[in-house]
Amino acid sequence: MKIECAEKLLPLYETQKRFISIYGGRGSAKSWGVADFLLAKGAERTRRVLCAREVQNSIKDSVHKLLSDRTTFYELDGFYRVTDDKIEGLNGTEFIFKGLHRNPQDIKSTEGIDICWVEEAHSVSRASLDVLVPTIRNEGSQIIFTFNPIYEEDPVFADYVLAERDDVLKIQMNYTDNPWFPDVLRQQLEHDRKHFPNKYLHVWKGMCVIESDEVIGAFRSTDTWDCQYCVAFIDPSFSDKTDTDATAVSVVGVNKQGKILFSGMKLPKSISDEGTRIEILDFLQRFTPVESVIESQLADTSIFFIDAFRASERRYAIKNLWTVKRQYRNKHERIAATVIANKPDMLMLAGTQAAYSLEVARYYKGAPHDDCPDSLAGAMEQLATSPIVAEYAAAIKILKR
């Protein structure tokens, strides 16, 4: 049986790990990929597969139709027999469908499961998880979770994504990993990317929604900056008066392991100061970002300072690609949606300026100083949403072929 498989899902066919978490944004083909995998496994030898979700009021709420559609797509109708509530293979393979919520005894009595697929796993309660996991106990059995993350504290995300475990295969999939991503969804995606960046990061990039007043706390560090590309974001001060905002600069990139690497610096003077601009340019030369963004609410001011930076960087062999961004959401919303939401996957470069790292780590909603975490949030958002970055990443993929 020849299966169409997104490259990101290939480890699914090879892993022996008991738990598999496949999570990310909309349009990534997670469900299609798992359905195809299970049909292939069921055709390979006799298996009993439980397809579960937290709430299933009827078979229409399940993945029954998806599996049925995929059997037709692969012309497996002669092998699999689809009934109203089951799918059965000629070799004895069986797909059954159950809801978990308020159904503990029925789940506990479900014997002989080889593979359990939990769809929309973000909604699974702690009580349901505590019943399900020990029920799946065949030798070599596996539990596959597929979901679009919502909150970090959701049990499946907390236990099988955030937790460091040797028995879990974690696969993050987004629309960029789907070679069959439809144009009709791309139009909505681009609209959200342009007009609703917070919605874009959650819906399409699979970032959690976080609302927290707690201090961010310290980050893990790394000695190596091994990103293929990065972006820089400058949250500038336009005044040198005492007690005004400082100038903050952040650079953010992603390494091959999917970790978000960052560094930054905080400067007491405004970018109207030549020395401050030189310090920023010296800092950026260490990282050579593909895009350097200045936050500004005023178009005329932006043009003036971009020209000033270009004049100051004439001494450098490598020039920056300067762009301007106007921020619309409040600072805490930006920081919560990016920095707080992704902290488990973030590493700060060792040797990062202490003033910068402390301000980021000590941030909380209402903190008196928030320029550094705000510039970090801006850089992360730009890395995820910038068309320039997307084109650069696509070019790298082409060159690797």
Side-chain angles (χ1 to χ4, degrees), residues 190-205:
E190 294 298 343
H191 177 79
D192 290 344
R193 190 210 301 258
K194 182 176 180 181
H195 299 286
F196 305 103
N198 193 35
K199 176 183 176 183
Y200 167 81
L201 291 172
H202 173 57
V203 173
W204 302 105
K205 299 294 285 186

Side-chain angles (χ1 to χ4, degrees), residues 97-130:
F97 305 86
K98 293 182 181 290
L100 303 175
H101 182 59
R102 295 182 179 176
N103 200 20
Q105 295 308 316
D106 189 27
I107 296 301
K108 288 178 181 178
S109 63
T110 306
E111 298 288 342
I113 299 299
D114 298 299
I115 305 176
C116 175
W117 175 19
V118 185
E119 173 68 322
E120 296 190 357
H122 62 272
S123 63
V124 173
S125 68
R126 174 65 62 191
S128 295
L129 205 57
D130 289 345

Side-chain angles (χ1 to χ4, degrees), residues 29-232:
K30 296 185 292 294
S31 299
W32 278 18
V34 173
D36 293 352
F37 167 76
L38 293 176
L39 291 172
K41 287 293 182 179
E44 182 180 271
R45 67 171 175 83
T46 302
R47 285 183 167 92
R48 195 165 195 235
V49 181
L50 170 62
C51 300
R53 63 197 298 128
E54 179 68 0
V55 178
Q56 182 180 305
N57 294 318
S58 73
I59 198 70
K60 292 180 180 179
D61 297 329
S62 72
V63 292
H64 180 277
K65 187 178 188 308
L66 172 60
L67 288 162
S68 176
D69 290 344
R70 298 308 281 175
T71 61
T72 301
F73 178 82
Y74 287 111
E75 299 180 346
L76 292 171
D77 301 293
F79 179 82
Y80 283 111
R81 184 172 70 93
V82 179
T83 65
D84 289 341
D85 61 352
K86 284 186 179 182
I87 297 176
E88 299 172 321
L90 293 178
N91 63 352
T93 285
E94 181 183 26
F95 289 81
I96 58 176
F97 305 86
K98 293 182 181 290
L100 303 175
H101 182 59
R102 295 182 179 176
N103 200 20
Q105 295 308 316
D106 189 27
I107 296 301
K108 288 178 181 178
S109 63
T110 306
E111 298 288 342
I113 299 299
D114 298 299
I115 305 176
C116 175
W117 175 19
V118 185
E119 173 68 322
E120 296 190 357
H122 62 272
S123 63
V124 173
S125 68
R126 174 65 62 191
S128 295
L129 205 57
D130 289 345
V131 171
L132 175 68
V133 172
T135 299
I136 312 302
R137 53 179 178 267
N138 271 15
E139 188 67 29
S141 59
Q142 294 180 309
I143 302 176
I144 303 172
F145 302 106
T146 54
F147 60 103
N148 301 333
I150 296 185
Y151 298 108
E152 278 190 351
E153 54 269 25
D154 288 337
V156 169
F157 191 81
D159 290 4
Y160 301 104
V161 175
L162 294 184
E164 295 294 334
R165 302 174 53 150
D166 294 333
D167 60 351
V168 181
L169 170 66
K170 304 172 187 179
I171 302 175
Q172 184 175 18
M173 288 190 72
N174 292 310
Y175 71 93
T176 49
D177 302 305
N178 179 8
W180 310 283
F181 187 73
D183 289 337
V184 65
L185 288 184
R186 191 174 299 280
Q187 294 172 15
Q188 181 63 47
L189 178 152
E190 294 298 343
H191 177 79
D192 290 344
R193 190 210 301 258
K194 182 176 180 181
H195 299 286
F196 305 103
N198 193 35
K199 176 183 176 183
Y200 167 81
L201 291 172
H202 173 57
V203 173
W204 302 105
K205 299 294 285 186
M207 294 185 179
C208 286
V209 174
I210 295 269
E211 295 180 2
S212 173
D213 296 339
E214 296 181 0
V215 173
I216 291 179
F219 289 80
R220 291 178 296 163
S221 65
T222 178
D223 293 321
T224 306
W225 183 270
D226 56 353
C227 302
Q228 292 180 299
Y229 54 87
C230 66
V231 300

Side-chain angles (χ1 to χ4, degrees), residues 223-267:
D223 293 321
T224 306
W225 183 270
D226 56 353
C227 302
Q228 292 180 299
Y229 54 87
C230 66
V231 300
F233 195 95
I234 302 171
D235 184 358
S237 169
F238 297 106
S239 173
D240 290 331
K241 293 181 180 179
T242 305
D243 296 328
T244 58
D245 290 347
T247 293
V249 186
S250 293
V251 290
V252 174
V254 178
N255 66 12
K256 292 181 179 180
Q257 290 72 45
K259 297 297 183 182
I260 301 169
L261 275 57
F262 73 101
S263 186
M265 64 187 305
K266 180 179 181 179
L267 302 111

Side-chain angles (χ1 to χ4, degrees), residues 193-349:
R193 190 210 301 258
K194 182 176 180 181
H195 299 286
F196 305 103
N198 193 35
K199 176 183 176 183
Y200 167 81
L201 291 172
H202 173 57
V203 173
W204 302 105
K205 299 294 285 186
M207 294 185 179
C208 286
V209 174
I210 295 269
E211 295 180 2
S212 173
D213 296 339
E214 296 181 0
V215 173
I216 291 179
F219 289 80
R220 291 178 296 163
S221 65
T222 178
D223 293 321
T224 306
W225 183 270
D226 56 353
C227 302
Q228 292 180 299
Y229 54 87
C230 66
V231 300
F233 195 95
I234 302 171
D235 184 358
S237 169
F238 297 106
S239 173
D240 290 331
K241 293 181 180 179
T242 305
D243 296 328
T244 58
D245 290 347
T247 293
V249 186
S250 293
V251 290
V252 174
V254 178
N255 66 12
K256 292 181 179 180
Q257 290 72 45
K259 297 297 183 182
I260 301 169
L261 275 57
F262 73 101
S263 186
M265 64 187 305
K266 180 179 181 179
L267 302 111
K269 294 187 176 182
S270 79
I271 57 175
S272 61
D273 175 68
E274 170 76 7
T276 297
R277 293 199 300 276
I278 294 299
E279 282 191 68
I280 293 172
L281 291 168
D282 285 342
F283 177 76
L284 297 183
Q285 286 290 306
R286 294 168 50 194
F287 302 95
T288 59
V290 298
E291 185 179 12
S292 299
V293 185
I294 300 176
E295 178 188 352
S296 179
Q297 309 299 324
L298 302 173
D300 291 344
T301 303
S302 304
I303 295 171
F304 174 82
F305 282 114
I306 284 178
D307 288 341
F309 269 110
R310 285 173 176 162
S312 298
E313 70 178 355
R314 287 173 184 166
R315 69 188 74 184
Y316 301 96
I318 300 175
K319 307 296 192 289
N320 290 276
L321 174 60
W322 297 101
T323 59
V324 174
K325 185 168 185 179
R326 182 177 182 178
Q327 300 285 43
Y328 294 94
R329 306 192 317 281
N330 67 66
K331 286 189 178 184
H332 180 70
E333 183 181 351
R334 294 197 297 267
I335 295 167
T338 52
V339 183
I340 298 174
N342 290 279
K343 187 189 173 189
D345 291 319
M346 295 176 68
L347 298 172
M348 181 183 291
L349 184 64

